[in-house]
Amino acid sequence: MRIIVLVKPVPTEQSFELDSQSNNLKRGNANLRINPLDIHAIEESIKLKEKYGGEITLVSMAPLNSESVIRKALSYGIDHGILLSSASFSGSDTLATSYILSKALEKWGYDIILTGKQSYDGDTGHICPGVAEYLGIAHISDVREIIEIKDDTIIVRKYFQDDLLQLQVKSPVIVSCGKGLNTPRIPTIYDRIKSLSTNVIIWDDIDLELDKEKIGMIGSPTYVDSLYSVDVSKENRIYHMSDKEGIKEVLNLLQIKH
Amino acid sequence: MIKVLDNCTSCKRCISLCPFNCIKLVNSIAFINDSCNECGLCVDKCQEKAIVKCENKSNELKEYKSGYKGICIFTEHNSFQLNDTFKELVTHAFELKKKLVNRKISAILIGDNVNEIADGILNYGIDEVWISDGQNLSHFNEDVIAHLAAKIIERQKPEIFLGLATEYGRSIFPLIATKLKTGLTADCIAIDIEEESEDLVQIRPTYGGSKLAAIKTKKDYRPQMATIREGVIVGAKQIMNKIGKKIFIDDVPSLNSKYQLIKVKKQLFEISSIESSKIVVGIGMGAQSPNTLNLVKEFAEKINASLGATRAVIEAGILDENCQIGQTGKIINPDVYIALGISGAIQHQVGVLNAKSVIAVNINPNAPIFKIANCGIIGDVFEVISELLCQMKN
């Protein structure tokens, strides 16, 4: 079984909790990590390999400087790694990215594709359905359980509003994985050592024979027109802890609304 | 695109901040390479104002994709009734209509035996409901529904096509947008019409920094598609005089669906307490240590508040996912929101913009949360909550 996992390196400080202390953000590759939800996809792919056999290939569209983050993902027990990288990819929105990924998947071959439900930077969740559409296959966003993979169908569970559905879906499929799906294991020393010699194949726009009108900023229908601050018209009163007024004000606000 | 101006002082602040590592010093000036994602964090934080965002000039030379007029909304339903937030989508459509001249509002309705649902839609004053009714059109047949929706859009040519960013909307809208090869902006917290161009402005937090991004679709791609978060607008009310009409689309050949239903398990999910409570206490990384957390829980119980948290706290496993407040969690509307140890990145701020009052406690005086707080206290969360509990006992 050819199991493919699509992963994306994302900035580490996604919570931006430390944004106001921005001087502490680290340099270099410590800034990037594998998108947390992609790790759930990796875990699911390992479970599938254990059950059905086959090989797992990691595919990532990312700048060349993220190779070390890709290597870290390989240490989970992945057989092959493919990095899709080219200056012409930068500025791609989700339509262009789905196109690029789908061309790589067609070139490599697949029986089932997994990815994280959304990435912690863009958070769109567009890649699973976008790639499905380009490949002409079914997708299941936020799959809750992969029950069985048969010859040309797959049985899965997913939610629709409050109902849990059990569906039989024609293969091959692409599924996206959320937090609740599984608990990722920690890579073994054996897997880590093995991954050091895993070859990472690098493909660019020429290798993939891409239509250059469909990639990068040219191939992206949406663009950021401007950035602006939140408009908040609230009266703003800031106190120091040592100032009793602050505590009094909070109690006032709580009592009035209580 | 992001451009560095001549007044760059090589302070390297942007270099250490860039979440994508794409800035370096070249000839003592900051240089931004192709990996730039236009998140805008460097623009935001440059103290010399030497980094700016420029217009996408190439768009101005383009021609509009012709013949696209009107506002269309997608109907989410479960075969029996409309999604209860559908009325929010109606409000969004009517708000846009105020700024567009002579536009019709239409709804796409696809399903099995949906005539009554169509009546429900018309009760909101929608001008036209485009209906595809058939047996293999249950909600889980996303492939066929997306195929039909795309065909209807190609025929009817609305300039704007909107859906709500429910789990379902987030799954089916990208399918439709990819079929139509058009732009889709996910999870908008607001939409607007730009006056001169009449273009749809799609607003959502940028993922770097503390700003909102105004996103647009290039002129030669239509329709302009967006999914909008639930809870950012008040739902429309039904009207007395139904003026709209139903248009049945029978002639689009359907497909065999790849999806087949085996069984359904109905679950009863309660509305999570943070969505229904009048007072909500939010916990950030500055308040998640065990001692502080226990005190905060005691405080929340005393004031009858529900507990919510930021994404980082949820990721750390401290509270359950359904307590998450923010762009990727819930958008809430309490009377009082108390943010404890939360720095207040934009993704969190948008979760509580509709709260009537915001109280914030943070040890860092520069925390962005203070910008949206009515009342802020600079101090340690444990100390402040202890003092509050102490005062409350009196």
Side-chain angles (χ1 to χ4, degrees):
Chain A
M1 182 173 292
R2 295 164 301 177
I3 304 165
I4 319 290
V5 188
L6 302 177
V7 306
K8 182 184 184 190
V10 296
T12 44
E13 298 303 314
Q14 273 316 300
S15 64
F16 297 106
E17 287 277 36
L18 308 178
D19 190 47
S20 50
Q21 294 158 44
S22 50
N23 297 329
N24 295 339
L25 278 180
K26 296 182 212 128
R27 295 173 184 232
N29 287 318
N31 259 346
L32 295 175
R33 58 172 174 168
I34 290 292
N35 176 41
L37 296 180
D38 294 343
I39 303 195
H40 291 278
I42 291 174
E43 170 64 27
E44 202 61 23
S45 73
I46 299 172
K47 285 164 76 175
L48 290 178
K49 181 180 174 181
E50 286 170 347
K51 191 168 175 186
Y52 299 101
E55 294 192 323
I56 306 173
T57 303
L58 199 95
V59 176
S60 185
M61 181 179 121
L64 285 172
N65 69 357
S66 49
E67 197 180 330
S68 63
V69 184
I70 304 294
R71 286 231 163 258
K72 195 154 180 263
L74 294 178
S75 72
Y76 280 89
I78 311 286
D79 300 290
H80 308 282
I82 304 179
L83 178 56
L84 309 175
S85 199
S86 165
S88 62
F89 293 169
S90 92
S92 296
D93 72 0
T94 51
L95 185 71
T97 304
S98 300
Y99 168 67
I100 296 165
L101 288 170
S102 68
K103 294 290 276 180
L105 290 161
E106 278 170 349
K107 185 176 166 88
W108 185 253
Y110 57 91
D111 292 306
I112 181 168
I113 308 163
L114 301 97
T115 189
K117 182 181 162 185
Q118 60 200 67
S119 68
Y120 276 19
D121 50 9
D123 277 310
T124 63
H126 286 179
I127 294 304
C128 176
V131 168
E133 179 52 35
Y134 267 110
L135 292 177
I137 63 177
H139 82 286
I140 296 109
S141 287
D142 198 16
V143 70
R144 294 301 172 133
E145 195 180 339
I146 299 179
I147 296 176
E148 198 186 340
I149 300 182
K150 305 204 270 203
D151 276 333
D152 29 79
T153 57
I154 171 171
I155 315 257
V156 296
R157 284 203 178 120
K158 66 161 283 179
Y159 277 105
F160 172 68
Q161 297 178 355
D162 290 341
D163 298 337
L164 186 62
L165 312 180
Q166 190 156 315
L167 299 172
Q168 179 165 280
V169 191
K170 203 155 169 282
S171 293
V173 301
I174 175 170
V175 306
S176 74
C177 309
K179 247 176 97 187
L181 183 62
N182 53 42
T183 305
R185 69 197 71 190
I186 299 181
T188 63
I189 307 263
Y190 172 74
D191 285 329
R192 275 194 237 247
I193 295 173
K194 186 163 166 285
S195 78
L196 293 172
S197 55
T198 306
N199 201 18
V200 175
I201 301 166
I202 302 180
W203 282 343
D204 64 12
D205 50 328
I206 313 284
D207 295 312
L208 294 174
E209 295 173 31
L210 299 174
D211 177 349
K212 62 177 199 276
E213 303 291 305
K214 293 184 175 167
I215 63 178
M217 290 193 116
I218 300 171
S220 302
T222 56
Y223 64 98
V224 178
D225 187 54
S226 59
L227 301 168
Y228 61 96
S229 295
V230 168
D231 173 32
V232 182
S233 39
K234 282 188 201 267
E235 338 114 49
N236 211 239
R237 298 174 299 282
I238 313 294
Y239 304 91
H240 285 268
M241 173 62 201
S242 45
D243 184 346
K244 297 290 179 187
E245 289 300 308
I247 303 284
K248 262 195 344 194
E249 167 112 20
V250 172
L251 289 170
N252 262 342
L253 282 169
L254 286 174
Q255 270 165 3
I256 292 168
K257 309 297 177 189
H258 222 332
Chain B
M1 59 171 288
I2 310 268
K3 207 170 129 188
V4 180
L5 305 175
D6 288 339
N7 55 322
C8 169
T9 58
S10 337
C11 75
K12 300 200 219 165
R13 193 149 188 261
C14 56
I15 297 176
S16 63
L17 283 175
C18 177
F20 300 96
N21 263 331
C22 55
I23 312 182
K24 59 180 186 189
L25 274 188
V26 173
N27 297 335
S28 305
I29 302 258
F31 173 78
I32 301 174
N33 74 24
D34 285 338
S35 304
C36 173
N37 254 298
E38 300 204 9
C39 74
L41 184 57
C42 55
V43 176
D44 202 7
K45 301 290 185 190
C46 175
Q47 302 199 313
E48 309 296 326
K49 302 265 177 268
I51 309 184
V52 292
K53 188 158 194 319
C54 308
E55 286 273 326
N56 188 339
K57 295 261 180 277
S58 62
N59 189 42
E60 287 171 16
L61 302 169
K62 299 225 167 96
E63 293 284 309
Y64 274 104
K65 189 162 183 179
S66 65
Y68 281 78
K69 278 268 181 289
I71 304 160
C72 182
I73 58 181
F74 180 79
T75 312
E76 182 175 332
H77 62 93
N78 64 1
S79 304
F80 300 108
Q81 58 192 31
L82 285 168
N83 210 25
D84 46 45
T85 45
F86 175 78
K87 51 187 191 267
E88 292 179 25
L89 201 51
V90 174
T91 308
H92 286 299
F94 276 101
E95 287 296 304
L96 294 184
K97 184 176 166 158
K98 287 179 187 168
K99 298 189 176 184
L100 290 169
V101 176
N102 272 339
R103 303 305 210 269
K104 279 202 260 194
I105 299 179
S106 56
I108 287 185
L109 174 62
I110 301 173
D112 183 6
N113 205 7
V114 289
N115 204 31
E116 266 183 54
I117 297 182
D119 287 329
I121 296 172
L122 290 173
N123 284 339
Y124 285 106
I126 304 292
D127 295 301
E128 285 177 5
V129 184
W130 304 327
I131 307 168
S132 230
D133 197 327
Q135 269 190 335
N136 71 334
L137 298 177
S138 298
H139 49 79
F140 54 83
N141 301 115
E142 287 184 51
D143 47 358
V144 188
I145 294 179
H147 165 77
L148 284 171
K151 289 288 175 211
I152 295 173
I153 299 277
E154 278 170 351
R155 181 183 297 186
Q156 303 292 128
K157 294 191 157 71
E159 67 205 282
I160 291 169
F161 182 37
L162 304 172
L164 285 172
T166 56
E167 292 292 332
Y168 189 69
R170 300 175 88 237
S171 175
I172 202 164
F173 256 57
L175 268 190
I176 302 171
T178 309
K179 276 187 203 293
L180 294 172
K181 301 288 183 295
T182 189
L184 169 64
T185 300
D187 304 324
C188 298
I189 53 134
I191 49 170
D192 201 0
I193 298 291
E194 184 179 72
E195 218 178 288
E196 269 186 46
S197 61
E198 292 191 327
D199 289 342
L200 180 70
V201 183
Q202 305 142 43
I203 300 159
R204 52 166 285 156
T206 179
Y207 45 79
S210 54
K211 296 218 187 281
L212 293 173
I215 296 169
K216 295 201 340 174
T217 309
K218 292 177 185 170
K219 289 176 184 176
D220 49 342
Y221 292 88
R222 286 295 182 264
Q224 303 159 95
M225 288 178 59
T227 55
I228 312 169
R229 299 280 339 255
E230 292 168 291
V232 299
I233 212 163
V234 175
K237 296 213 168 32
Q238 301 198 344
I239 58 164
M240 295 309 286
N241 305 326
K242 262 169 36 181
I243 41 144
K245 54 184 181 170
K246 297 178 198 172
I247 296 180
F248 289 89
I249 316 269
D250 302 324
D251 58 335
V252 177
S254 192
L255 306 166
N256 289 326
S257 177
K258 296 189 175 77
Y259 303 87
Q260 209 183 315
L261 182 69
I262 299 179
K263 59 181 177 183
V264 185
K265 194 163 119 173
K266 293 210 169 279
Q267 325 239 113
L268 260 174
F269 281 112
E270 287 175 12
I271 300 177
S272 76
S273 51
I274 55 172
E275 288 173 292
S276 53
S277 287
K278 291 214 185 299
I279 311 184
V280 175
V281 171
I283 299 169
M285 290 306 270
Q288 45 82 30
S289 68
N291 285 339
T292 309
L293 196 59
N294 283 334
L295 203 68
V296 169
K297 284 182 177 169
E298 193 190 318
F299 173 65
E301 232 189 271
K302 259 223 154 58
I303 58 169
N304 221 4
S306 294
L307 279 179
T310 59
R311 166 132 78 169
V313 168
I314 303 287
E315 237 201 296
I318 292 163
L319 280 183
D320 189 74
E321 264 186 309
N322 64 12
C323 298
Q324 190 179 326
I325 298 169
Q327 173 67 358
T328 52
K330 305 222 162 67
I331 294 188
I332 59 174
N333 311 294
D335 288 343
V336 183
Y337 178 63
I338 308 175
L340 302 175
I342 295 177
S343 69
I346 187 74
Q347 288 85 349
H348 186 76
Q349 286 185 24
V350 301
V352 298
L353 283 179
N354 291 332
K356 297 198 181 69
S357 324
V358 175
I359 299 169
V361 180
N362 198 300
I363 199 145
N364 182 351
N366 296 320
I369 193 83
F370 287 126
K371 293 207 179 80
I372 62 162
N374 297 84
C375 168
I377 303 186
I378 302 168
D380 175 67
V381 173
F382 189 89
E383 281 176 33
V384 173
I385 300 297
S386 304
E387 183 63 26
L388 275 168
L389 279 168
C390 186
Q391 293 290 330
M392 277 161 73
K393 283 196 175 87
N394 303 343

